Amino acid sequence: MTSHWTAAAVAGIARAPRPEAPVIAASPPRILPGFDLWDYWPVCDADGRVATVAGGQLHMLLGAPVLPDPDSRHAVARIRLMHLAGGRWRDLGWLLPDDLAPGSREWAGSAVVDADRRRLTLYFTAAGQRGETMVGFDQRLFETSADLDGLAPMNWRVPQEIVAADGIVYAREMAGGGTIGTIKAFRDPRWFRDPVDCAEYVLFAGSLAQSASAWNGAIGVARRGATGWALAPPLIAADGINNELERPHVIVHDRRYYCFWSTQARVFADDGPGGPTGLYGMVADGFAGPWRPLNGTGLVLANPAARPLQAYSWLVLDDLSVLSFADLPGLDRAPADVATARRHFGGTPAPVLRLRLDGDRSSLA
């Protein structure tokens, strides 16, 4: 059964105290000069814990060379591999060999390493089509793996498509309005293994095919069976409410299941209640739901009102630490021009936050 993030829940955001993240520095230090870095994720064990590899953590980050317009990064994004140990980042270069991915660029996903630290499995979004002459909006979900020799992935397998949008439950046409925030979604695969029955799932940001609304975001699901992956009904739908439930992921804490996603103030429906750019979530007693909005509204944490664009793309880990990247931390409103956006774009990991979870309630620790 699909659970719904409703207008009534979202309307409650305006009536409740807003859980705001601390203000971050207007110019946070970059960990990789010359490159913009954003959506990132650590390599995890099969049980969801961040894996220790070579005395530290392997992280995958979307990356692009610094361009005059930071929004242009999405059209050339690739996955960068970095190692974090003792608070220091070490750059390991582009993760995938040139032309291995079937798209024109690589968008966010997740990664799992086996217990022996010898095999690395990557789930990622292939955006566009390889060789296209114009930037396309196609989004497809792929799985691939490599042998891991210390910090070096080698012998990458040919990526295999996990599932395809069916045009019945999940929309196939991705163009939407053709601009950031209006395109549709079939991206951000996040692998999850249910500790109760060891069933394997991939959650992804999707769009509902049968919606009459331009705001038809959903959290999609694929489940691995005996013959491979198969689409399942959405876990959570925001039909008529919100266009993008990005980078969805599930953790288990105190025997409850918590599903989190990121969204932006600008992608709430024009004719309905809205919320701030922030991290949102719902809670359930099992993976199948029903899912209930955390704090009664779904809002887990917001950017500060004085810095509404400071960070984005939050990821909650099993220890309740929260990763994100510095977006436009020095601004109190959307930039008026490309030059302003370039000066203020963070393009690097933001300070790590921490949550408290208590049943259906969440708060910043």
Side-chain angles (χ1 to χ4, degrees):
M1 296 291 292
T2 299
S3 298
H4 295 271
W5 191 27
T6 65
V10 175
I13 294 172
R15 300 190 295 269
R18 181 176 293 188
E20 292 189 350
V23 173
I24 65 176
S27 299
R30 285 176 167 254
I31 63 171
L32 188 60
F35 288 85
D36 286 332
L37 302 172
W38 62 106
D39 303 358
Y40 77 110
W41 61 95
V43 174
C44 291
D45 290 323
D47 60 6
R49 293 179 298 183
V50 177
T52 299
V53 180
Q57 302 170 355
L58 280 173
H59 285 262
M60 299 177 183
L61 310 89
L62 295 191
V66 169
L67 301 170
D69 181 357
D71 277 350
S72 298
R73 69 189 190 275
H74 301 293
V76 294
R78 293 187 65 186
I79 300 171
R80 198 84 179 181
L81 184 64
M82 301 189 76
H83 188 243
L84 176 62
R88 297 176 64 87
W89 291 89
R90 175 186 172 191
D91 179 38
L92 301 173
W94 299 121
L95 176 66
L96 297 178
D98 293 344
D99 297 326
L100 180 72
S104 62
R105 61 261 197 223
E106 301 151 15
W107 286 355
S110 56
V112 183
V113 69
D114 69 0
D116 294 331
R117 307 299 190 259
R118 303 296 294 174
R119 187 178 180 92
L120 177 69
T121 301
L122 171 69
Y123 304 87
F124 72 101
T125 310
Q129 299 288 335
R130 185 188 299 176
E132 64 188 6
T133 56
M134 295 183 62
V135 176
F137 298 103
D138 293 347
Q139 299 154 46
R140 293 169 292 156
L141 310 181
F142 280 84
E143 175 183 359
T144 184
S145 63
D147 302 322
L148 190 61
D149 183 7
L151 295 176
M154 301 183 301
N155 304 320
W156 283 99
R157 282 69 173 176
V158 175
Q160 302 297 314
E161 192 164 11
I162 300 170
V163 287
D166 57 2
I168 299 170
V169 177
Y170 298 104
R172 284 178 177 157
E173 173 54 54
M174 299 288 107
T179 59
I180 294 173
T182 69
I183 66 171
K184 299 305 174 183
F186 200 77
R187 59 179 181 266
D188 304 342
R190 181 74 182 182
W191 184 86
F192 172 75
R193 186 175 70 183
D194 191 333
V196 171
D197 59 5
C198 292
E200 293 181 55
Y201 300 93
V202 162
L203 282 74
F204 57 89
S207 299
L208 300 171
Q210 303 298 323
S211 175
S213 173
W215 294 273
N216 59 345
I219 295 174
V221 178
R223 177 170 177 158
R224 196 195 295 269
T227 59
W229 294 98
L231 282 174
L235 202 67
I236 297 167
D239 196 18
I241 303 298
N242 187 284
N243 188 50
E244 292 179 340
L245 280 59
E246 297 195 283
R247 297 196 69 197
H249 54 286
V250 166
I251 67 168
V252 177
H253 179 77
D254 284 347
R255 294 177 294 181
R256 290 186 176 89
Y257 291 64
Y258 293 87
C259 182
F260 297 99
W261 66 90
S262 297
T263 199
Q264 303 181 66
R266 63 181 173 178
V267 300
F268 284 92
D270 290 342
D271 58 353
T277 296
L279 173 69
Y280 291 79
M282 299 179 83
V283 58
D285 299 319
F287 185 82
W291 293 84
R292 310 175 295 275
L294 279 166
N295 305 316
T297 66
L299 180 61
V300 174
L301 68 86
N303 278 330
R307 294 291 183 267
L309 308 172
Q310 76 166 12
Y312 193 60
S313 197
W314 292 269
L315 180 67
V316 182
L317 303 179
D318 74 303
D319 65 355
L320 304 188
S321 57
V322 185
L323 310 182
S324 64
F325 79 94
D327 192 356
L328 293 163
L331 297 180
D332 61 2
R333 68 195 70 185
D337 51 60
V338 168
T340 301
R342 179 69 272 169
R343 284 197 307 274
H344 289 276
F345 184 66
T348 198
V352 176
L353 303 175
R354 187 170 294 276
L355 289 182
R356 293 191 186 97
L357 295 175
D358 182 12
D360 288 18
R361 310 297 297 180
S362 69
S363 60
L364 278 165

